[in-house]
Amino acid sequence: MEKTNQNFEAKLEQLEKLTADIKRSDISLEDALKDFEEGIKLASGMEKELDKIEGKIQILMTEPQPMDKENPPQFDLFSDSGEVNGTRK
């Protein structure tokens, strides 16, 4: 999970940089549009990551038995139903 957290934080930093760049007074319209498009794609991917994390948290909160090495949480991240353990993808 640490790698995911670092990856998410790196994406957040990139999104903040793009936002700051768009606000510059000397940026061209073309560059601002390019940064905006990149930011939208980045934000969309981050939203999907947050949805997956939310699904895992919901599983952990509703797990019927205490979890330990013999009873780890079960994550069905490859569900064909379009859902991740009851949450949307």
Side-chain angles (χ1 to χ4, degrees), residues 6-20:
Q6 289 175 347
N7 190 26
F8 188 85
E9 288 178 8
K11 288 178 182 178
L12 183 58
E13 285 181 30
Q14 178 64 21
L15 187 57
E16 289 172 348
K17 181 186 177 303
L18 289 168
T19 302

Side-chain angles (χ1 to χ4, degrees), residues 53-71:
I53 292 168
E54 180 184 9
K56 289 178 183 180
I57 290 170
Q58 286 180 359
I59 290 167
L60 293 172
M61 297 299 289
T62 60
E63 192 70 27
Q65 300 174 344
M67 291 169 282
D68 55 24
K69 283 187 176 181
E70 289 77 36
N71 182 34

Side-chain angles (χ1 to χ4, degrees), residues 3-70:
K3 185 176 182 178
T4 301
N5 189 31
Q6 289 175 347
N7 190 26
F8 188 85
E9 288 178 8
K11 288 178 182 178
L12 183 58
E13 285 181 30
Q14 178 64 21
L15 187 57
E16 289 172 348
K17 181 186 177 303
L18 289 168
T19 302
D21 285 348
I22 290 171
K23 292 178 181 179
R24 289 186 358 237
S25 62
D26 64 336
I27 191 169
S28 70
L29 183 57
E30 184 178 302
D31 287 342
L33 181 58
K34 184 183 79 155
D35 286 352
F36 180 77
E37 289 173 337
E38 185 178 344
I40 292 295
K41 289 176 187 176
L42 195 57
S44 176
M46 292 169 70
E47 183 179 21
K48 289 176 185 176
E49 285 182 51
L50 286 174
D51 286 345
K52 287 180 184 180
I53 292 168
E54 180 184 9
K56 289 178 183 180
I57 290 170
Q58 286 180 359
I59 290 167
L60 293 172
M61 297 299 289
T62 60
E63 192 70 27
Q65 300 174 344
M67 291 169 282
D68 55 24
K69 283 187 176 181
E70 289 77 36

